[in-house]
Amino acid sequence: MTKLKPWLPLIGIGVFAALLLVIAPLTLNAHWINNLGKYCALAIAAVGIGLAWGRGGMLVMGQGVFFGLGAYAMAMHLTLETAGPDNLPTFMILYDPLAGLPAFWEPFRSEAFTVLAILILPVIVASILGYALFKRRVKGAYFAILTQALAVALAVLISSTIRETGGDTGLSDFKYFFGFVLNDEDNKLMVYLIAAALLIVCLLVVWQLNRSRFGELLIATRDAEERVRFLGYDPANIKLVAFVIAAVMASIAGAMFVPLAGIITPQEIGASASILMIAGVALGGRASLFGPALGAMAVGWGQSSLGSSWPSGWIYILGMVFILVTVFVPMGLSSIFSKVSGLVWRPRAAAPAVSAPYPKRTE
């Protein structure tokens, strides 16, 4: 198989960064900039799924859990920031005016605590969950079902705790983002640029991991786990690292999705949301660098554009596209580009050597 030049992905990341950080703000209006920011947030989660699933072979169908951890951590802070110091959020006053603020809400008044929670909570949860599953060699369909069940359980838990989390209504009506007024157009652009920059950083992290020793071990674990164990490495630890990195990226994605979308509900973190993330990664190409991000952005565009104009039909279009891609291009649309690039960069075949004639024998 022909390998692409090692510097091509880095150039691609640079072009992608120029499009998101320079071209898009200059050419798109505020509405599309906000939508593109939401697509970037979804793409951040997809990049992590590409690492865990495409490179590590772990079908993580419960990324809504980690997306929800980051999203609700950010939403709780923005809700308290909107309510003001020592005040209760509006939805809590409506449900029970006499009750105080729940104890686990209070630390989220701090900006530093909120950022740390977005980064550390997924590490703790993913480490405990991954250690329990990987050490027992749970993989394949069992691993996918268990992770998706956790996403369903978290969505049900949030729906049932109306007083503490807003229930099915979720958290919304955010007015400030770390001191900046969200209704201001310049501040909306700033939030978009943060989401786009974080997407570029995640792509760089995965690019570096893929070309490192860890990336080689991750692929080896996916393809021949017993051989990796025979060589003295613990496949559970290798999988655990990839699983935790994917969880952190999903949490960051959820945190950036909240100020861009202006709302977070259990529907954004449940089973259907997790499946849409997987569908985007599969559509773009789970084993490539850019495929998961572009696939997630395409699914996000379909959900917001086609979903608003044809809410009962766009999901069928997505399903049809997903089936066609799975049948005819199992490795995603990015594999077509890889094949074309392989043809372009194919080295020329060496000319057959011409044997020199034997010298004539002289008498």
Side-chain angles (χ1 to χ4, degrees):
M1 186 177 73
T2 304
K3 290 185 178 181
L4 298 181
K5 300 294 182 180
W7 40 263
L8 279 180
L10 197 57
I11 293 178
I13 293 176
V15 173
F16 196 46
L19 289 173
L20 291 179
L21 300 175
V22 179
I23 305 299
L26 294 176
T27 56
L28 300 180
N29 58 32
H31 170 74
W32 280 108
I33 281 290
N34 188 71
N35 281 347
L36 185 58
K38 289 187 287 186
Y39 308 155
C40 287
L42 297 174
I44 293 172
V47 170
I49 295 174
L51 177 68
W53 182 28
R55 308 286 293 192
M58 297 170 283
L59 183 54
V60 284
M61 297 191 69
Q63 290 303 89
V65 172
F66 308 109
F67 188 90
L69 289 176
Y72 270 89
M74 177 64 78
M76 289 162 67
H77 172 73
L78 299 186
T79 300
L80 292 173
E81 195 174 16
T82 300
D86 304 322
N87 293 329
L88 286 178
T90 305
F91 78 92
M92 290 186 183
I93 298 175
L94 293 175
Y95 284 116
D96 190 355
L98 300 179
L101 186 70
F104 69 91
W105 271 74
E106 193 62 44
F108 287 95
R109 292 190 186 274
S110 168
E111 298 176 356
F113 180 87
T114 301
V115 173
L116 288 176
I118 292 169
L119 298 176
I120 294 177
L121 274 178
V123 173
I124 296 173
V125 175
S127 297
I128 296 173
L129 175 62
Y131 186 86
L133 295 179
F134 298 139
K135 287 296 182 179
R136 288 171 173 77
R137 302 187 185 182
V138 177
K139 55 185 176 180
Y142 298 101
F143 177 81
I145 292 171
L146 282 171
T147 54
Q148 190 175 50
L150 288 175
V152 174
L154 180 61
V156 171
L157 175 64
I158 293 176
S159 297
S160 61
T161 53
I162 300 175
R163 168 64 174 70
E164 291 79 11
T165 63
D168 289 329
T169 307
L171 302 176
S172 60
D173 250 354
F174 313 120
K175 295 181 180 179
Y176 303 101
F177 176 77
F178 292 91
F180 295 92
V181 180
L182 273 176
N183 287 334
D184 186 86
E185 296 297 332
D186 292 336
N187 294 337
K188 287 183 179 180
L189 177 61
M190 177 195 66
V191 176
Y192 159 76
L193 291 175
I194 293 173
L198 287 172
L199 173 57
I200 300 301
V201 170
C202 290
L203 286 172
L204 287 171
V205 169
V206 172
W207 172 75
Q208 181 60 38
L209 289 174
N210 288 347
R211 63 196 294 267
S212 67
R213 181 68 173 172
F214 170 78
E216 295 176 356
L217 285 173
L218 189 59
I219 294 178
T221 301
R222 178 195 66 189
D223 297 337
E225 184 172 327
E226 292 303 322
R227 289 187 180 183
V228 172
R229 186 176 287 107
F230 178 76
L231 292 173
Y233 296 97
D234 189 350
N237 293 336
I238 299 170
K239 290 181 178 180
L240 182 61
V241 172
F243 186 60
V244 170
I245 293 173
V248 173
M249 289 185 180
S251 181
I252 294 172
M256 292 310 304
F257 181 82
V258 166
L260 290 160
I263 187 173
I264 185 67
T265 66
Q267 284 71 36
E268 269 83 41
I269 66 174
S272 59
S274 298
I275 291 174
L276 282 179
M277 294 180 192
I278 290 291
V281 174
L283 179 65
R286 64 183 184 271
S288 68
L289 179 62
F290 292 99
L294 296 177
M297 295 175 82
V299 171
W301 173 82
Q303 187 176 15
S304 61
S305 299
L306 297 179
S308 59
S309 59
W310 193 17
S312 60
W314 86 271
I315 194 67
Y316 294 105
I317 296 177
L318 175 63
M320 181 181 66
V321 172
F322 182 71
I323 292 173
L324 292 176
V325 169
T326 303
V327 172
F328 296 105
V329 195
M331 296 306 294
L333 296 177
S334 62
S335 62
I336 299 175
F337 173 77
S338 299
K339 292 178 181 178
V340 173
S341 301
L343 293 174
V344 173
W345 293 99
R346 178 184 295 174
R348 294 184 179 181
V354 179
S355 59
Y358 290 104
K360 293 182 179 180
R361 185 176 180 181
T362 57
E363 298 295 341

